[in-house]
Amino acid sequence: MRISPFLSILGVAAPIALRAQNTTASTEPPPPVRRELRAAWVATVGNIDWPSRPDLDTWSQQAELLAILNKAVQLRLNAIVFQIRPGTDALYDSRLEPWSEYLTGRQGRAPEPAWDPLAFAVAEAHQRGIELHAWFNPYRARYAKPLSEAARTHVSRTAPSLVRQYGSYLWMDPGDPEVRKRAIQVVVDVVKRYDIDGVHIDDYFYPYRENDSSGRSIDFPDDATYARYRKGGGTLSHDDWRRRNVDLLVESLDRAVHAAKPWVRFGVSPIGIWRPGNPPSVTPGFDAYQEIYADTRKWLRNGWVDYWVPQLYWSIDSPQSYPVLLDWWASQNVKHRNLWIGNGLHRVGDNYTVGANGNRAANWRADEIIQQIGLTRMSVGTAPNGGATGNVFFSMKGLMRDVDSIDAKLTPLYAEPALVPASSWLDATPPPRPTATLVTSAATSERYVRMVPGQGEKPWLWLVRTLQGGQWTTEILPNEVRSHRLTGEVERVVVNAVDRVGNLSAPAIARAAKEAKAVAGR
């Protein structure tokens, strides 16, 4: 009999409580379940979040990854964004690119004993009812300070014509169609071979500008690629051509991911300001449109993404105002895709100082993040196009270290469980209604609700709501759970199946075995 892993992980027997209005009517429907993304990035580049060092053995790496997932359960997060390709390398068993040096200390060296971190992360996350989104960097080929020499199977050796030396980095040339083809091939390979829930890219497109030894800005060395484009009849300016190259990658990734598996969501996390002056009240900053050739607003407005995570790494009262930017991005979400906000947890520290003017001079308090979550929730009812329905924290390290007691401050906000908001444009058909039966253990006299999927689509999660003493309790359980223990006097149990894009089945009212047979025979 499979019991929910939430209970064993947290070491508690009582369910998570969601209080609703008091009612004694056994026919009263349960309250709506909260819909909210609660996620964190797990960065592997530079060993930011995982693994903590590149020389750990397999068992230590697995233990650290399990600790991250267990912390996510404890804090009631429902998704992890896991970086698996920081620079044309792999933190998974790839047939196309070498093992990452951040995993084993040397690029191309396989972990020993052998294991596949992505397969492990997906399986363990799903056992906990947590989504696992695979995070790719599409263009970066080599880091500024590599830990080892490039492997013989690295793109800089197997296809050097696709790679450009740019300052201290190696970068794939976005203007070469073969680069786009290669990036899509890598992503689709992962989508087909692993049961991931999402594909995620962040803000690295054309590289951020590098300077030479005299401090002068270096232009990206793609003149030959651009000349080839012009010779073939292209008419765009150099800058517009660069933006078009990135547009083609984003649009192609969206199509390729859904062609491989229609339920896998594609998401982008851009810099939080599209262009200076947008919106006008925000102090101008970095121009991603001009500097890294990312016309991010176009991608959102064209609906080339399933979710959008602008990195609003500014405080509420800063010149780049968090609430103002949140509302601006909501106003651009004309296709009504999932808008989730990237929050700068890395700015929170245990040590903070206050300047002479009374403002914080270094590090945020955790209260800044808490207030930003509150503003995100408020936007649903006030911002245009529905506002934002969740938050992604950069990064998991802050939660693991519990900077400025952030974990305890998140606990009341996340006291009730939440489902990831649905992506109905991918699939609007609800899963079949399950069957729910109340049974009593002959050995212990404990009561359980037994869930049986309906004919057809397999559930991704179970939503179980229990009425006790006029109050509803809500639990979200992994799909492998088929029998769930109930505690105390139960007045009513309602079960819904949840599919991979978040659709809910019709509710199934749990009945005792004899009663269920009688109802079925009518």
Side-chain angles (χ1 to χ4, degrees):
M1 180 179 292
R2 179 67 187 264
I3 303 299
S4 167
F6 288 102
L7 303 182
S8 59
I9 290 169
L10 297 177
V12 296
I16 300 165
L18 167 62
R19 292 190 177 275
Q21 60 184 5
N22 289 336
T23 175
T24 57
S26 62
T27 58
E28 182 76 15
V33 64
R34 177 180 282 278
R35 293 279 192 167
E36 180 178 58
L37 183 86
R38 303 166 180 174
W41 280 287
V42 174
T44 56
V45 62
N47 298 108
I48 291 174
D49 290 297
W50 182 88
S52 61
R53 304 197 315 267
D55 59 348
L56 294 179
D57 58 50
T58 292
W59 319 118
S60 298
Q61 290 175 351
Q62 291 180 349
E64 286 189 351
L65 198 48
L66 288 174
I68 286 172
L69 294 173
N70 289 344
K71 175 65 76 170
V73 171
Q74 178 188 345
L75 296 177
R76 301 194 182 104
L77 306 186
N78 51 27
I80 289 292
V81 183
F82 184 41
Q83 189 177 36
I84 63 167
R85 192 204 194 212
T88 58
D89 54 358
L91 284 101
Y92 62 99
D93 189 7
S94 174
R95 306 175 184 125
L96 303 173
E97 295 182 315
W99 285 101
S100 174
E101 61 189 343
Y102 294 124
L103 186 69
T104 63
R106 183 178 181 85
Q107 191 179 78
R109 177 189 290 160
E112 187 178 345
W115 75 300
D116 186 332
L118 180 56
F120 181 88
V122 168
E124 293 293 337
H126 286 182
Q127 286 181 16
R128 292 160 173 77
I130 295 172
E131 291 190 358
L132 199 290
H133 293 230
W135 170 14
F136 299 81
N137 188 297
Y139 293 125
R140 185 170 54 204
R142 206 77 173 101
Y143 330 108
K145 296 179 180 179
L147 303 178
S148 65
E149 293 183 356
R152 283 180 287 182
T153 54
H154 187 255
V155 64
S156 63
R157 297 196 176 190
T158 60
S161 64
L162 304 181
V163 179
R164 305 285 179 263
Q165 180 76 47
Y166 183 64
S168 55
Y169 289 87
L170 291 182
W171 213 264
M172 305 285 279
D173 185 349
D176 193 320
E178 286 299 313
V179 168
R180 185 166 62 251
K181 180 180 177 181
R182 183 186 181 96
I184 293 168
Q185 182 185 21
V186 167
V187 170
V188 170
D189 172 61
V190 169
V191 172
K192 288 183 175 179
R193 292 197 296 122
Y194 295 88
D195 190 25
I196 60 173
D197 301 283
V199 166
H200 183 96
I201 60 175
D202 57 5
D203 59 299
Y204 285 92
F205 302 106
Y206 275 82
Y208 289 87
R209 289 193 180 268
E210 293 276 307
N211 296 325
D212 62 18
S213 57
S214 64
R216 290 177 300 184
S217 177
I218 307 169
D219 194 29
F220 186 73
D222 61 356
D223 287 346
T225 317
Y226 179 61
R228 189 169 67 203
Y229 159 77
R230 295 283 293 196
K231 187 176 180 179
T235 59
L236 293 175
S237 70
H238 203 153
D239 285 359
D240 285 341
W241 168 76
R242 285 173 170 172
R243 276 184 285 273
R244 179 57 179 156
N245 293 331
V246 184
D247 288 350
L248 287 170
L249 176 74
V250 173
E251 185 179 17
S252 298
L253 278 173
D254 177 54
R255 291 177 177 174
V257 166
H258 296 137
K261 287 182 182 176
W263 63 88
V264 173
R265 281 143 296 162
F266 173 54
V268 178
S269 177
I271 291 174
I273 297 176
W274 170 59
R275 295 212 69 184
N278 295 271
S281 60
V282 167
T283 299
F286 182 82
D287 189 350
Y289 180 93
Q290 187 61 39
E291 297 291 330
I292 59 175
Y293 306 99
D295 189 358
T296 55
R297 185 180 71 165
K298 176 193 286 188
W299 312 338
L300 177 62
R301 292 179 67 86
N302 285 356
W304 292 348
V305 296
D306 299 309
Y307 66 87
W308 193 250
V309 189
Q311 298 169 22
L312 303 191
Y313 295 165
W314 299 283
S315 64
I316 294 168
D317 58 359
S318 72
Q320 295 83 20
S321 168
Y322 180 93
V324 171
L325 285 167
L326 188 159
D327 284 357
W328 186 87
W329 278 113
S331 73
Q332 305 307 307
N333 189 19
V334 295
K335 295 288 187 180
H336 299 279
R337 297 303 190 244
N338 284 315
L339 175 61
W340 302 323
I341 304 302
N343 299 86
L345 180 59
H346 62 296
R347 297 188 182 276
V348 175
D350 292 312
N351 299 312
Y352 43 86
T353 58
V354 179
N357 60 359
N359 295 328
R360 289 187 296 275
N363 290 338
W364 292 353
R365 298 294 304 266
D367 291 341
E368 175 72 33
I369 298 294
I370 302 305
Q371 292 172 30
Q372 290 182 4
I373 295 171
L375 288 170
T376 305
R377 288 177 168 178
M378 287 174 58
S379 75
V380 174
T382 59
N385 298 321
T389 56
N391 300 87
V392 187
F393 305 116
F394 187 83
S395 63
M396 193 69 197
K397 180 167 61 177
L399 300 177
M400 299 300 291
R401 293 182 177 177
D402 192 19
V403 290
D404 194 28
S405 302
I406 182 69
D407 294 357
K409 293 173 183 177
L410 282 174
T411 297
L413 288 181
Y414 292 168
E416 60 182 271
L419 287 176
V420 174
S423 301
S424 56
W425 53 91
L426 296 179
D427 174 11
T429 304
R433 186 202 302 262
T435 300
T437 307
L438 295 173
V439 297
T440 302
S441 168
T444 65
S445 298
E446 292 176 306
R447 300 192 76 192
Y448 294 81
V449 58
R450 181 175 294 158
M451 291 88 71
V452 178
Q455 291 295 321
E457 185 178 11
K458 180 182 178 181
W460 150 237
L461 295 170
W462 298 109
L463 175 63
V464 179
R465 286 171 288 185
T466 307
L467 183 64
Q468 295 176 290
Q471 295 180 342
W472 285 98
T473 295
T474 295
E475 293 173 279
I476 298 170
L477 308 175
N479 64 357
E480 293 184 4
V481 174
R482 291 293 183 269
S483 189
H484 180 62
R485 185 173 63 246
L486 303 171
T487 60
E489 293 297 322
V490 175
E491 300 166 39
R492 194 170 186 226
V493 180
V494 178
V495 176
N496 299 79
V498 186
D499 70 14
R500 292 303 290 267
V501 299
N503 294 313
L504 282 181
S505 74
I509 300 173
R511 304 179 188 277
K514 291 182 180 179
E515 181 185 359
K517 288 181 180 179
V519 171
R522 290 176 186 170

Tab-separated table of all heavy atoms in Angstrom, residues 451-496:
chain	number	residue	atom	x	y	z
A	451	MET	N	-7.838	5.535	-4.392
A	451	MET	CA	-8.084	6.226	-5.648
A	451	MET	C	-7.756	5.304	-6.816
A	451	MET	O	-6.686	4.696	-6.853
A	451	MET	CB	-7.229	7.494	-5.753
A	451	MET	CG	-7.632	8.599	-4.799
A	451	MET	SD	-6.833	8.513	-3.163
A	451	MET	CE	-5.158	8.971	-3.567
A	452	VAL	N	-8.688	5.228	-7.759
A	452	VAL	CA	-8.482	4.444	-8.978
A	452	VAL	C	-8.666	5.381	-10.163
A	452	VAL	O	-9.725	6.022	-10.282
A	452	VAL	CB	-9.468	3.265	-9.075
A	452	VAL	CG1	-9.272	2.495	-10.382
A	452	VAL	CG2	-9.302	2.336	-7.879
A	453	PRO	N	-7.670	5.499	-11.046
A	453	PRO	CA	-7.821	6.399	-12.196
A	453	PRO	C	-8.969	5.971	-13.096
A	453	PRO	O	-9.300	4.783	-13.203
A	453	PRO	CB	-6.474	6.269	-12.928
A	453	PRO	CG	-5.524	5.720	-11.911
A	453	PRO	CD	-6.343	4.860	-11.000
A	454	GLY	N	-9.590	6.947	-13.738
A	454	GLY	CA	-10.588	6.638	-14.741
A	454	GLY	C	-9.940	6.077	-15.995
A	454	GLY	O	-8.710	6.073	-16.137
A	455	GLN	N	-10.747	5.604	-16.912
A	455	GLN	CA	-10.241	5.036	-18.154
A	455	GLN	C	-9.630	6.132	-19.018
A	455	GLN	O	-10.246	7.169	-19.256
A	455	GLN	CB	-11.381	4.358	-18.919
A	455	GLN	CG	-11.914	3.098	-18.251
A	455	GLN	CD	-10.872	1.986	-18.201
A	455	GLN	OE1	-10.113	1.791	-19.153
A	455	GLN	NE2	-10.814	1.267	-17.094
A	456	GLY	N	-8.399	5.895	-19.479
A	456	GLY	CA	-7.754	6.866	-20.361
A	456	GLY	C	-6.519	7.462	-19.740
A	456	GLY	O	-5.618	6.747	-19.291
A	457	GLU	N	-6.480	8.769	-19.661
A	457	GLU	CA	-5.284	9.495	-19.254
A	457	GLU	C	-4.898	9.205	-17.799
A	457	GLU	O	-5.725	9.275	-16.895
A	457	GLU	CB	-5.529	10.992	-19.434
A	457	GLU	CG	-4.328	11.873	-19.169
A	457	GLU	CD	-4.631	13.344	-19.414
A	457	GLU	OE1	-5.833	13.677	-19.588
A	457	GLU	OE2	-3.699	14.146	-19.422
A	458	LYS	N	-3.624	8.914	-17.585
A	458	LYS	CA	-3.108	8.675	-16.244
A	458	LYS	C	-2.984	9.993	-15.490
A	458	LYS	O	-2.503	10.978	-16.042
A	458	LYS	CB	-1.742	7.986	-16.336
A	458	LYS	CG	-1.092	7.679	-15.006
A	458	LYS	CD	0.278	7.052	-15.211
A	458	LYS	CE	0.980	6.778	-13.881
A	458	LYS	NZ	2.335	6.195	-14.092
A	459	PRO	N	-3.412	10.048	-14.226
A	459	PRO	CA	-3.269	11.301	-13.470
A	459	PRO	C	-1.799	11.658	-13.255
A	459	PRO	O	-0.928	10.784	-13.171
A	459	PRO	CB	-3.952	10.994	-12.137
A	459	PRO	CG	-4.764	9.768	-12.371
A	459	PRO	CD	-4.073	9.001	-13.446
A	460	TRP	N	-1.534	12.950	-13.158
A	460	TRP	CA	-0.207	13.422	-12.749
A	460	TRP	C	-0.184	13.616	-11.233
A	460	TRP	O	0.783	13.279	-10.559
A	460	TRP	CB	0.121	14.713	-13.496
A	460	TRP	CG	1.007	15.704	-12.808
A	460	TRP	CD1	0.709	17.000	-12.527
A	460	TRP	CD2	2.340	15.495	-12.319
A	460	TRP	NE1	1.763	17.610	-11.886
A	460	TRP	CE2	2.782	16.710	-11.751
A	460	TRP	CE3	3.205	14.400	-12.293
A	460	TRP	CZ2	4.034	16.863	-11.167
A	460	TRP	CZ3	4.461	14.550	-11.707
A	460	TRP	CH2	4.866	15.782	-11.158
A	461	LEU	N	-1.274	14.137	-10.687
A	461	LEU	CA	-1.401	14.336	-9.242
A	461	LEU	C	-2.819	13.973	-8.821
A	461	LEU	O	-3.725	13.876	-9.648
A	461	LEU	CB	-1.145	15.803	-8.870
A	461	LEU	CG	0.248	16.392	-9.098
A	461	LEU	CD1	0.202	17.900	-8.896
A	461	LEU	CD2	1.281	15.755	-8.181
A	462	TRP	N	-2.982	13.794	-7.495
A	462	TRP	CA	-4.307	13.674	-6.892
A	462	TRP	C	-4.554	14.909	-6.030
A	462	TRP	O	-3.677	15.340	-5.271
A	462	TRP	CB	-4.398	12.442	-5.994
A	462	TRP	CG	-4.209	11.128	-6.674
A	462	TRP	CD1	-3.132	10.295	-6.562
A	462	TRP	CD2	-5.127	10.466	-7.551
A	462	TRP	NE1	-3.307	9.165	-7.312
A	462	TRP	CE2	-4.538	9.244	-7.933
A	462	TRP	CE3	-6.384	10.795	-8.052
A	462	TRP	CZ2	-5.165	8.350	-8.792
A	462	TRP	CZ3	-7.013	9.907	-8.911
A	462	TRP	CH2	-6.407	8.699	-9.264
A	463	LEU	N	-5.743	15.444	-6.132
A	463	LEU	CA	-6.204	16.490	-5.229
A	463	LEU	C	-7.228	15.857	-4.296
A	463	LEU	O	-8.282	15.395	-4.745
A	463	LEU	CB	-6.829	17.640	-6.020
A	463	LEU	CG	-7.478	18.759	-5.213
A	463	LEU	CD1	-6.451	19.475	-4.345
A	463	LEU	CD2	-8.178	19.745	-6.146
A	464	VAL	N	-6.898	15.788	-2.999
A	464	VAL	CA	-7.759	15.140	-2.009
A	464	VAL	C	-8.197	16.193	-0.993
A	464	VAL	O	-7.356	16.805	-0.327
A	464	VAL	CB	-7.029	13.982	-1.295
A	464	VAL	CG1	-7.941	13.337	-0.256
A	464	VAL	CG2	-6.552	12.944	-2.305
A	465	ARG	N	-9.517	16.372	-0.880
A	465	ARG	CA	-10.053	17.337	0.079
A	465	ARG	C	-11.013	16.624	1.026
A	465	ARG	O	-11.887	15.866	0.589
A	465	ARG	CB	-10.736	18.487	-0.668
A	465	ARG	CG	-9.710	19.417	-1.313
A	465	ARG	CD	-10.301	20.424	-2.228
A	465	ARG	NE	-10.776	19.842	-3.472
A	465	ARG	CZ	-11.260	20.553	-4.492
A	465	ARG	NH1	-11.355	21.857	-4.385
A	465	ARG	NH2	-11.662	19.951	-5.590
A	466	THR	N	-10.787	16.884	2.320
A	466	THR	CA	-11.501	16.168	3.367
A	466	THR	C	-12.229	17.148	4.268
A	466	THR	O	-11.638	18.141	4.714
A	466	THR	CB	-10.506	15.331	4.200
A	466	THR	OG1	-9.739	14.503	3.336
A	466	THR	CG2	-11.245	14.468	5.202
A	467	LEU	N	-13.485	16.865	4.541
A	467	LEU	CA	-14.297	17.689	5.447
A	467	LEU	C	-14.304	17.037	6.818
A	467	LEU	O	-14.711	15.892	6.983
A	467	LEU	CB	-15.717	17.818	4.912
A	467	LEU	CG	-16.672	18.708	5.725
A	467	LEU	CD1	-16.194	20.160	5.731
A	467	LEU	CD2	-18.085	18.616	5.161
A	468	GLN	N	-13.819	17.794	7.820
A	468	GLN	CA	-13.781	17.311	9.203
A	468	GLN	C	-14.184	18.457	10.126
A	468	GLN	O	-13.565	19.518	10.095
A	468	GLN	CB	-12.375	16.829	9.570
A	468	GLN	CG	-11.912	15.617	8.782
A	468	GLN	CD	-10.483	15.247	9.119
A	468	GLN	OE1	-9.544	15.957	8.766
A	468	GLN	NE2	-10.305	14.136	9.810
A	469	GLY	N	-15.223	18.240	10.930
A	469	GLY	CA	-15.659	19.271	11.865
A	469	GLY	C	-16.033	20.564	11.183
A	469	GLY	O	-15.807	21.640	11.747
A	470	GLY	N	-16.585	20.480	9.981
A	470	GLY	CA	-16.996	21.672	9.264
A	470	GLY	C	-15.869	22.402	8.569
A	470	GLY	O	-16.078	23.484	8.017
A	471	GLN	N	-14.651	21.838	8.576
A	471	GLN	CA	-13.505	22.480	7.937
A	471	GLN	C	-12.909	21.531	6.895
A	471	GLN	O	-12.833	20.318	7.103
A	471	GLN	CB	-12.439	22.863	8.964
A	471	GLN	CG	-12.923	23.916	9.950
A	471	GLN	CD	-11.837	24.281	10.952
A	471	GLN	OE1	-10.877	23.550	11.128
A	471	GLN	NE2	-12.005	25.411	11.609
A	472	TRP	N	-12.468	22.128	5.798
A	472	TRP	CA	-11.871	21.343	4.725
A	472	TRP	C	-10.361	21.301	4.859
A	472	TRP	O	-9.711	22.300	5.164
A	472	TRP	CB	-12.228	21.941	3.363
A	472	TRP	CG	-13.637	21.684	2.931
A	472	TRP	CD1	-14.698	22.532	3.052
A	472	TRP	CD2	-14.129	20.505	2.298
A	472	TRP	NE1	-15.835	21.956	2.544
A	472	TRP	CE2	-15.513	20.709	2.070
A	472	TRP	CE3	-13.555	19.292	1.914
A	472	TRP	CZ2	-16.318	19.749	1.453
A	472	TRP	CZ3	-14.360	18.338	1.310
A	472	TRP	CH2	-15.720	18.557	1.083
A	473	THR	N	-9.810	20.124	4.636
A	473	THR	CA	-8.364	19.910	4.554
A	473	THR	C	-8.022	19.578	3.100
A	473	THR	O	-8.710	18.771	2.473
A	473	THR	CB	-7.930	18.740	5.445
A	473	THR	OG1	-8.174	19.081	6.798
A	473	THR	CG2	-6.449	18.432	5.289
A	474	THR	N	-6.994	20.199	2.575
A	474	THR	CA	-6.574	19.957	1.194
A	474	THR	C	-5.188	19.338	1.180
A	474	THR	O	-4.275	19.827	1.856
A	474	THR	CB	-6.549	21.263	0.388
A	474	THR	OG1	-7.876	21.765	0.286
A	474	THR	CG2	-5.992	21.046	-1.016
A	475	GLU	N	-5.049	18.274	0.393
A	475	GLU	CA	-3.749	17.649	0.180
A	475	GLU	C	-3.554	17.394	-1.307
A	475	GLU	O	-4.507	17.055	-2.020
A	475	GLU	CB	-3.633	16.341	0.951
A	475	GLU	CG	-3.625	16.539	2.463
A	475	GLU	CD	-3.672	15.222	3.200
A	475	GLU	OE1	-4.768	14.659	3.336
A	475	GLU	OE2	-2.602	14.766	3.623
A	476	ILE	N	-2.317	17.566	-1.761
A	476	ILE	CA	-1.946	17.287	-3.145
A	476	ILE	C	-0.926	16.156	-3.111
A	476	ILE	O	0.139	16.296	-2.501
A	476	ILE	CB	-1.380	18.536	-3.834
A	476	ILE	CG1	-2.452	19.638	-3.863
A	476	ILE	CG2	-0.896	18.215	-5.248
A	476	ILE	CD1	-1.935	20.989	-4.291
A	477	LEU	N	-1.252	15.042	-3.752
A	477	LEU	CA	-0.470	13.822	-3.626
A	477	LEU	C	0.089	13.390	-4.973
A	477	LEU	O	-0.532	13.624	-6.016
A	477	LEU	CB	-1.334	12.690	-3.057
A	477	LEU	CG	-2.087	12.992	-1.764
A	477	LEU	CD1	-2.990	11.831	-1.403
A	477	LEU	CD2	-1.111	13.305	-0.635
A	478	PRO	N	1.245	12.732	-4.981
A	478	PRO	CA	1.815	12.224	-6.235
A	478	PRO	C	0.919	11.174	-6.884
A	478	PRO	O	0.115	10.509	-6.207
A	478	PRO	CB	3.148	11.612	-5.787
A	478	PRO	CG	3.443	12.226	-4.463
A	478	PRO	CD	2.114	12.511	-3.832
A	479	ASN	N	1.068	10.992	-8.179
A	479	ASN	CA	0.174	10.089	-8.907
A	479	ASN	C	0.351	8.631	-8.513
A	479	ASN	O	-0.556	7.820	-8.698
A	479	ASN	CB	0.365	10.244	-10.424
A	479	ASN	CG	1.764	9.844	-10.888
A	479	ASN	OD1	2.624	9.500	-10.086
A	479	ASN	ND2	1.986	9.908	-12.186
A	480	GLU	N	1.517	8.269	-7.967
A	480	GLU	CA	1.744	6.875	-7.599
A	480	GLU	C	0.951	6.462	-6.361
A	480	GLU	O	0.786	5.278	-6.095
A	480	GLU	CB	3.233	6.623	-7.353
A	480	GLU	CG	4.075	6.738	-8.613
A	480	GLU	CD	5.532	6.390	-8.351
A	480	GLU	OE1	5.850	5.999	-7.205
A	480	GLU	OE2	6.349	6.525	-9.271
A	481	VAL	N	0.501	7.432	-5.596
A	481	VAL	CA	-0.290	7.118	-4.405
A	481	VAL	C	-1.647	6.569	-4.849
A	481	VAL	O	-2.336	7.166	-5.670
A	481	VAL	CB	-0.480	8.362	-3.526
A	481	VAL	CG1	-1.424	8.061	-2.369
A	481	VAL	CG2	0.856	8.859	-3.009
A	482	ARG	N	-2.007	5.436	-4.318
A	482	ARG	CA	-3.314	4.854	-4.613
A	482	ARG	C	-4.163	4.686	-3.353
A	482	ARG	O	-5.361	4.457	-3.446
A	482	ARG	CB	-3.143	3.486	-5.300
A	482	ARG	CG	-2.576	3.567	-6.712
A	482	ARG	CD	-3.572	4.228	-7.645
A	482	ARG	NE	-3.090	4.269	-9.021
A	482	ARG	CZ	-2.396	5.268	-9.542
A	482	ARG	NH1	-2.112	6.315	-8.779
A	482	ARG	NH2	-2.007	5.265	-10.801
A	483	SER	N	-3.531	4.770	-2.185
A	483	SER	CA	-4.256	4.622	-0.937
A	483	SER	C	-3.697	5.631	0.056
A	483	SER	O	-2.492	5.659	0.309
A	483	SER	CB	-4.106	3.196	-0.400
A	483	SER	OG	-4.963	2.971	0.685
A	484	HIS	N	-4.565	6.467	0.582
A	484	HIS	CA	-4.133	7.562	1.440
A	484	HIS	C	-4.854	7.504	2.785
A	484	HIS	O	-6.083	7.453	2.846
A	484	HIS	CB	-4.430	8.889	0.750
A	484	HIS	CG	-4.015	10.084	1.547
A	484	HIS	ND1	-2.712	10.335	1.907
A	484	HIS	CD2	-4.756	11.102	2.064
A	484	HIS	CE1	-2.660	11.455	2.603
A	484	HIS	NE2	-3.887	11.931	2.716
A	485	ARG	N	-4.068	7.496	3.859
A	485	ARG	CA	-4.623	7.359	5.205
A	485	ARG	C	-5.349	8.631	5.617
A	485	ARG	O	-4.859	9.748	5.414
A	485	ARG	CB	-3.523	7.034	6.199
A	485	ARG	CG	-4.038	6.749	7.608
A	485	ARG	CD	-2.942	6.252	8.535
A	485	ARG	NE	-1.906	7.239	8.728
A	485	ARG	CZ	-0.646	7.085	8.306
A	485	ARG	NH1	-0.287	6.000	7.657
A	485	ARG	NH2	0.249	8.024	8.533
A	486	LEU	N	-6.516	8.450	6.239
A	486	LEU	CA	-7.304	9.553	6.775
A	486	LEU	C	-7.187	9.571	8.292
A	486	LEU	O	-7.083	8.521	8.924
A	486	LEU	CB	-8.778	9.394	6.387
A	486	LEU	CG	-9.057	9.288	4.888
A	486	LEU	CD1	-10.514	8.918	4.639
A	486	LEU	CD2	-8.710	10.593	4.181
A	487	THR	N	-7.192	10.737	8.879
A	487	THR	CA	-7.076	10.856	10.328
A	487	THR	C	-8.314	11.540	10.892
A	487	THR	O	-8.896	12.431	10.257
A	487	THR	CB	-5.823	11.663	10.724
A	487	THR	OG1	-5.913	12.970	10.154
A	487	THR	CG2	-4.559	10.984	10.231
A	488	GLY	N	-8.719	11.127	12.096
A	488	GLY	CA	-9.855	11.749	12.759
A	488	GLY	C	-11.183	11.350	12.136
A	488	GLY	O	-11.279	10.478	11.281
A	489	GLU	N	-12.230	12.007	12.603
A	489	GLU	CA	-13.577	11.748	12.109
A	489	GLU	C	-13.771	12.468	10.775
A	489	GLU	O	-13.631	13.688	10.699
A	489	GLU	CB	-14.610	12.221	13.122
A	489	GLU	CG	-14.609	11.417	14.408
A	489	GLU	CD	-14.987	9.960	14.166
A	489	GLU	OE1	-15.881	9.716	13.325
A	489	GLU	OE2	-14.384	9.079	14.805
A	490	VAL	N	-14.092	11.712	9.749
A	490	VAL	CA	-14.203	12.256	8.401
A	490	VAL	C	-15.663	12.358	8.007
A	490	VAL	O	-16.412	11.383	8.102
A	490	VAL	CB	-13.443	11.373	7.392
A	490	VAL	CG1	-13.666	11.864	5.969
A	490	VAL	CG2	-11.958	11.356	7.731
A	491	GLU	N	-16.104	13.537	7.584
A	491	GLU	CA	-17.476	13.736	7.133
A	491	GLU	C	-17.617	13.541	5.628
A	491	GLU	O	-18.657	13.074	5.149
A	491	GLU	CB	-17.939	15.147	7.509
A	491	GLU	CG	-17.913	15.411	9.010
A	491	GLU	CD	-18.031	16.888	9.331
A	491	GLU	OE1	-18.807	17.589	8.640
A	491	GLU	OE2	-17.338	17.349	10.263
A	492	ARG	N	-16.577	13.907	4.893
A	492	ARG	CA	-16.676	13.824	3.436
A	492	ARG	C	-15.282	13.860	2.837
A	492	ARG	O	-14.402	14.567	3.331
A	492	ARG	CB	-17.497	15.001	2.898
A	492	ARG	CG	-17.969	14.859	1.454
A	492	ARG	CD	-18.959	15.967	1.152
A	492	ARG	NE	-19.546	15.796	-0.163
A	492	ARG	CZ	-19.690	16.781	-1.053
A	492	ARG	NH1	-19.255	17.989	-0.764
A	492	ARG	NH2	-20.259	16.558	-2.220
A	493	VAL	N	-15.057	13.118	1.750
A	493	VAL	CA	-13.784	13.135	1.020
A	493	VAL	C	-14.096	13.302	-0.464
A	493	VAL	O	-14.917	12.569	-1.023
A	493	VAL	CB	-12.977	11.843	1.243
A	493	VAL	CG1	-11.663	11.901	0.469
A	493	VAL	CG2	-12.701	11.615	2.728
A	494	VAL	N	-13.461	14.275	-1.075
A	494	VAL	CA	-13.637	14.543	-2.501
A	494	VAL	C	-12.273	14.438	-3.175
A	494	VAL	O	-11.289	15.031	-2.705
A	494	VAL	CB	-14.247	15.938	-2.744
A	494	VAL	CG1	-14.381	16.219	-4.237
A	494	VAL	CG2	-15.600	16.048	-2.054
A	495	VAL	N	-12.208	13.692	-4.268
A	495	VAL	CA	-10.942	13.448	-4.970
A	495	VAL	C	-11.064	13.922	-6.415
A	495	VAL	O	-12.073	13.638	-7.086
A	495	VAL	CB	-10.570	11.949	-4.946
A	495	VAL	CG1	-9.302	11.695	-5.756
A	495	VAL	CG2	-10.398	11.467	-3.507
A	496	ASN	N	-10.040	14.650	-6.891
A	496	ASN	CA	-9.921	15.010	-8.306
A	496	ASN	C	-8.593	14.488	-8.831
A	496	ASN	O	-7.577	14.509	-8.115
A	496	ASN	CB	-9.932	16.521	-8.511
A	496	ASN	CG	-11.198	17.186	-8.032
A	496	ASN	OD1	-11.358	17.414	-6.838
A	496	ASN	ND2	-12.084	17.524	-8.963
